[in-house]
Coordinates of all heavy atoms in Angstrom, one line a residue:
P3 N -4.2 -16.0 -24.3 CA -4.5 -15.5 -23.0 C -3.4 -14.8 -22.2 O -3.6 -13.8 -21.5 CB -4.9 -16.8 -22.2 CG -4.4 -17.9 -23.0 CD -4.3 -17.4 -24.4
F4 N -2.1 -15.2 -22.4 CA -1.1 -14.6 -21.7 C -0.9 -13.1 -22.2 O -0.7 -12.2 -21.4 CB 0.3 -15.3 -21.9 CG 1.5 -14.5 -21.4 CD1 1.7 -14.3 -20.1 CD2 2.3 -13.9 -22.3 CE1 2.8 -13.6 -19.6 CE2 3.4 -13.2 -21.9 CZ 3.6 -13.0 -20.5
L5 N -0.9 -12.9 -23.5 CA -0.7 -11.6 -24.1 C -1.8 -10.7 -23.7 O -1.6 -9.5 -23.4 CB -0.5 -11.7 -25.6 CG 0.8 -12.4 -26.0 CD1 0.8 -12.4 -27.6 CD2 2.0 -11.6 -25.5
T6 N -3.1 -11.2 -23.7 CA -4.2 -10.4 -23.3 C -4.0 -9.9 -21.8 O -4.2 -8.8 -21.5 CB -5.5 -11.2 -23.4 OG1 -5.7 -11.5 -24.8 CG2 -6.7 -10.4 -22.9
T7 N -3.7 -10.9 -20.9 CA -3.5 -10.6 -19.5 C -2.3 -9.6 -19.3 O -2.4 -8.6 -18.6 CB -3.2 -11.9 -18.7 OG1 -4.2 -12.8 -18.9 CG2 -3.0 -11.6 -17.3
L8 N -1.2 -9.8 -20.0 CA -0.1 -8.9 -19.9 C -0.4 -7.5 -20.4 O 0.0 -6.5 -19.8 CB 1.1 -9.5 -20.7 CG 2.4 -8.7 -20.7 CD1 3.0 -8.6 -19.3 CD2 3.4 -9.2 -21.7
A9 N -1.1 -7.4 -21.5 CA -1.5 -6.1 -22.1 C -2.3 -5.3 -21.1 O -2.0 -4.1 -20.8 CB -2.2 -6.3 -23.4
F10 N -3.4 -5.9 -20.5 CA -4.2 -5.1 -19.6 C -3.4 -4.8 -18.3 O -3.6 -3.8 -17.6 CB -5.5 -5.8 -19.3 CG -6.5 -5.6 -20.3 CD1 -6.7 -6.5 -21.4 CD2 -7.3 -4.4 -20.3 CE1 -7.7 -6.2 -22.4 CE2 -8.3 -4.2 -21.2 CZ -8.5 -5.1 -22.3
A11 N -2.5 -5.8 -17.9 CA -1.7 -5.6 -16.7 C -0.8 -4.4 -16.8 O -0.8 -3.5 -15.9 CB -1.0 -6.9 -16.4
V12 N 0.0 -4.4 -17.8 CA 1.0 -3.3 -17.9 C 0.5 -2.0 -18.5 O 1.0 -0.9 -18.1 CB 2.2 -3.8 -18.7 CG1 2.9 -5.0 -18.1 CG2 1.9 -4.1 -20.2
Y13 N -0.5 -2.1 -19.4 CA -1.0 -0.8 -20.0 C -2.0 -0.1 -19.1 O -2.1 1.1 -19.2 CB -1.6 -1.1 -21.3 CG -0.6 -1.4 -22.4 CD1 -0.8 -2.6 -23.2 CD2 0.4 -0.6 -22.7 CE1 0.1 -2.9 -24.2 CE2 1.3 -0.8 -23.7 CZ 1.2 -2.0 -24.5 OH 2.0 -2.3 -25.5
V14 N -2.7 -0.8 -18.3 CA -3.9 -0.3 -17.6 C -3.8 -0.4 -16.1 O -3.9 0.6 -15.3 CB -5.2 -0.9 -18.1 CG1 -6.4 -0.2 -17.4 CG2 -5.3 -0.8 -19.6
V15 N -3.6 -1.6 -15.6 CA -3.9 -1.9 -14.2 C -2.7 -1.8 -13.2 O -2.7 -1.0 -12.3 CB -4.6 -3.3 -14.0 CG1 -4.9 -3.6 -12.6 CG2 -5.8 -3.4 -14.9
V16 N -1.7 -2.6 -13.4 CA -0.7 -2.9 -12.4 C 0.1 -1.6 -12.1 O 0.3 -1.3 -10.9 CB 0.2 -4.0 -12.8 CG1 1.4 -4.2 -11.9 CG2 -0.6 -5.3 -12.9
P17 N 0.7 -0.9 -13.1 CA 1.5 0.3 -12.7 C 0.7 1.3 -11.9 O 1.2 1.9 -10.9 CB 2.0 0.8 -14.0 CG 1.9 -0.3 -15.0 CD 0.8 -1.1 -14.5
Q18 N -0.5 1.6 -12.3 CA -1.3 2.6 -11.6 C -1.7 2.1 -10.2 O -1.8 2.8 -9.2 CB -2.6 2.9 -12.4 CG -2.3 3.4 -13.8 CD -1.5 4.7 -13.8 OE1 -1.6 5.5 -12.9 NE2 -0.7 4.9 -14.8
A19 N -2.0 0.8 -10.1 CA -2.4 0.2 -8.8 C -1.2 0.3 -7.8 O -1.3 0.6 -6.6 CB -2.9 -1.2 -8.9
L20 N 0.0 -0.1 -8.3 CA 1.2 -0.1 -7.5 C 1.5 1.3 -7.0 O 2.0 1.6 -5.9 CB 2.4 -0.7 -8.2 CG 2.3 -2.2 -8.4 CD1 3.5 -2.7 -9.2 CD2 2.1 -3.0 -7.1
L21 N 1.3 2.3 -8.0 CA 1.6 3.7 -7.6 C 0.6 4.2 -6.5 O 1.0 4.9 -5.6 CB 1.4 4.6 -8.8 CG 1.7 6.1 -8.6 CD1 3.2 6.3 -8.2 CD2 1.5 6.8 -9.9
Q22 N -0.6 3.7 -6.6 CA -1.6 4.1 -5.5 C -1.2 3.5 -4.2 O -1.3 4.2 -3.1 CB -3.0 3.7 -5.9 CG -4.1 4.2 -5.0 CD -4.1 5.7 -4.9 OE1 -4.1 6.4 -5.9 NE2 -4.1 6.2 -3.7
I23 N -0.7 2.3 -4.2 CA -0.2 1.7 -3.0 C 1.0 2.5 -2.4 O 1.1 2.7 -1.2 CB 0.2 0.2 -3.2 CG1 -1.0 -0.6 -3.5 CG2 1.0 -0.4 -2.0 CD1 -0.7 -2.1 -4.0
Y24 N 1.9 2.9 -3.3 CA 3.0 3.8 -2.9 C 2.5 5.1 -2.3 O 3.0 5.5 -1.2 CB 3.9 4.0 -4.1 CG 5.0 5.0 -3.9 CD1 6.1 4.7 -3.1 CD2 5.0 6.3 -4.5 CE1 7.1 5.6 -2.9 CE2 6.0 7.2 -4.3 CZ 7.1 6.8 -3.5 OH 8.1 7.7 -3.3
F25 N 1.6 5.7 -2.9 CA 1.0 7.0 -2.3 C 0.4 6.7 -0.9 O 0.6 7.5 0.0 CB -0.1 7.5 -3.2 CG 0.4 8.1 -4.5 CD1 -0.4 8.1 -5.6 CD2 1.7 8.6 -4.6 CE1 0.1 8.7 -6.8 CE2 2.2 9.1 -5.8 CZ 1.4 9.1 -6.9
S26 N -0.3 5.6 -0.8 CA -1.0 5.3 0.5 C 0.1 5.0 1.6 O -0.1 5.5 2.7 CB -1.9 4.1 0.3 OG -2.9 4.3 -0.6
A27 N 1.1 4.3 1.2 CA 2.2 4.0 2.2 C 2.9 5.3 2.6 O 3.3 5.4 3.8 CB 3.2 3.1 1.5
Q28 N 3.0 6.3 1.7 CA 3.7 7.5 2.1 C 2.8 8.3 3.1 O 3.4 9.1 3.9 CB 3.8 8.4 0.8 CG 5.0 8.0 0.0 CD 5.3 9.0 -1.1 OE1 4.3 9.5 -1.8 NE2 6.5 9.4 -1.4

């Protein structure tokens, strides 16, 4: 479960979501 969660987090979800938050803050 940890590796599954980590894979989807770093490959798909978290970096793109954080970038969108950064754009919105700008």
Side-chain angles (χ1 to χ4, degrees):
F4 169 72
L5 292 179
T6 296
T7 301
L8 180 65
F10 278 96
V12 300
Y13 286 127
V14 183
V15 180
V16 174
Q18 302 299 328
L20 292 178
L21 182 61
Q22 187 58 49
I23 292 173
Y24 172 70
F25 290 153
S26 299
Q28 282 187 316

